[in-house]
Amino acid sequence: MPDFRTALPALRVPLQALLLAMPLATLSACASPPAHETLFLATTLTPAHAFTKGIEGPAVDADGNIYAVNFARQQTIGKVRPDGSGEVYLTLPGSSIANGIRFGSRGQMYLADYMEHTIYLVDPATRALTIHAREPRMTQPNDIAITADDVLYASDPNWKENTGRVWRIAQDGTVTLALDTMGTANGIEVSPDGKILYVNESVQRNIWMYDIAADGSLSGKRLLIKFDDFGMDGMRVDVDGNLYVTRYGKGSVVKLSPQGRILREISVPGAKPSNITFGGPDGRTAYVTEVVQGRLLQFRVDRPGLEWQRARQQKVNAANAAAAPPPAAAESVSAE
């Protein structure tokens, strides 16, 4: 949240491939916590000041690596392994500084660059950086949400005026103003069924729900919840549609039901958790960016995150495609 105020043959298949071939619903169902596991207890993952105070993002790839912005210095994207070790994954050009990160259906990475009003696209194989969308009318694209078919919604707060907007970015990069005249639009997320967009307003402390039409337009604005104190920043949903929201300034993450009921509040080290993502071997590790000490935090949850489920599906699809036999060559027939 940058604030400008400051089969027998099949028996020979390795076990890993068999697991990859499991239906995703089965994988998700298996991801239930053991009775002895401690849940919702936050610990540190990376050392203090591994990131700058501009730490944001984060997002997890299909291999379980965590990406967050401003690793070691501004303008970078950091790649952190599940053991907490990290490195600079790439450095952005010019004056660009990223904020939100999301992964798409093919493993591609999207970055919201709030300095250059740009959504970047990163090729996971080459790390090549291209402009997916650029819109001068944006104030500062901040957090981004993504649908199953790679349509993006970017929050666009104006901190000076305490206002905000939301932009829709189509698969081809076409930018459309989706919501105007909001409060300080910040955290943003799409429900698992793709029918609801959640947007929070940090200063006004509201979380709003909108219906997503077939053409991507938004309607039916209604209040999910209003908090009496402290701000909000990033949001992510789990596979059941529960919404995890970072409480910036309060030092906690709140878990909300899809109806807006507070299910749990998790205290985290540091007063300013800025965003959250899900990963780990079963999708039940929440990773939180923490501004005060410039570090990543983690805690275990009871159900997998939606983005982990989608990343896992990408891996299943890739494994199945690699294992599929090549198409049989057509038999040639000579003319008599």
Side-chain angles (χ1 to χ4, degrees):
M1 181 181 65
D3 185 343
F4 286 139
R5 298 168 298 185
T6 47
L8 277 180
L11 291 176
R12 296 193 295 269
V13 176
L15 178 59
Q16 182 180 9
L18 290 175
L19 288 173
L20 284 172
M22 292 173 67
L24 192 62
T26 303
L27 289 170
S28 179
C30 290
S32 298
H36 63 275
E37 185 176 32
T38 301
L39 302 178
F40 306 109
L41 178 64
T43 60
T44 60
L45 176 63
T46 62
H49 312 300
F51 292 80
T52 74
K53 291 183 182 296
I55 184 172
E56 258 282 7
V60 176
D61 68 15
D63 294 323
N65 301 299
I66 309 104
Y67 298 80
V69 309
N70 300 323
F71 181 84
R73 61 185 186 275
Q74 293 289 96
Q75 296 194 269
T76 65
I77 307 300
K79 176 181 178 180
V80 177
R81 288 167 282 274
D83 65 1
S85 61
E87 62 196 32
V88 172
Y89 177 71
L90 58 81
T91 299
L92 301 182
S95 61
S96 293
I97 303 177
N99 191 79
I101 306 175
R102 296 305 294 253
F103 282 95
S105 63
R106 304 179 308 280
Q108 74 276 26
M109 177 191 288
Y110 296 98
L111 305 172
D113 166 18
Y114 66 90
M115 292 295 290
E116 296 293 333
H117 316 288
T118 297
I119 305 297
Y120 281 114
L121 178 64
V122 183
D123 185 322
T126 65
R127 303 190 192 184
L129 189 72
T130 57
I131 294 173
H132 179 60
R134 176 165 282 169
E135 177 49 71
R137 292 177 296 163
M138 291 177 176
T139 303
Q140 55 160 106
N142 188 60
D143 283 347
I144 44 179
I146 188 167
T147 67
D149 55 355
D150 297 335
V151 174
L152 301 174
Y153 291 90
S155 62
D156 183 19
N158 182 330
W159 293 102
K160 184 177 180 179
E161 303 294 335
N162 289 338
T163 60
R165 297 171 291 185
V166 171
W167 302 85
R168 183 175 74 253
I169 300 97
Q171 296 165 322
D172 64 357
T174 301
V175 180
T176 305
L177 182 61
L179 295 172
D180 202 356
T181 62
M182 294 192 69
T184 49
N186 195 348
I188 190 165
E189 181 61 304
V190 176
S191 62
D193 62 6
K195 295 181 179 180
I196 301 294
L197 181 74
Y198 300 99
V199 187
N200 72 43
E201 298 170 330
S202 291
V203 173
Q204 295 79 11
R205 305 181 187 129
N206 299 315
I207 302 180
W208 298 100
M209 305 167 61
Y210 298 85
D211 297 318
I212 303 175
D215 64 356
S217 60
L218 305 174
S219 63
K221 178 181 180 180
R222 55 210 183 271
L223 186 68
L224 179 70
I225 191 172
K226 182 179 180 66
F227 292 102
D228 294 328
D229 55 10
F230 297 101
M232 294 172 285
D233 200 334
M235 305 192 297
R236 292 291 186 273
V237 291
D238 67 14
V239 294
D240 299 326
N242 299 306
L243 193 65
Y244 285 75
V245 185
T246 57
R247 299 298 313 279
Y248 192 89
K250 190 176 184 181
S252 68
V253 175
V254 66
K255 179 183 179 180
L256 302 173
S257 74
Q259 295 76 37
R261 182 166 60 91
I262 296 176
L263 303 176
R264 180 179 296 272
E265 190 159 10
I266 304 104
S267 295
V268 300
K272 297 178 179 179
S274 58
N275 219 320
I276 186 168
T277 192
F278 291 96
D282 54 6
R284 293 193 300 104
T285 301
Y287 297 106
V288 178
T289 51
E290 191 271 307
V291 169
V292 175
Q293 296 292 321
R295 59 188 171 175
L296 279 169
L297 310 175
Q298 62 183 349
F299 57 87
R300 296 287 285 161
V301 299
D302 51 351
R303 294 288 287 150
L306 176 65
E307 59 192 327
W308 172 86
Q309 185 186 57
R310 287 181 175 169
R312 186 65 177 175
Q313 183 66 69
Q314 295 164 17
K315 202 166 186 178
V316 169
N317 292 344
N320 289 342
E331 183 179 351
S332 61
V333 179
S334 58
E336 296 270 347

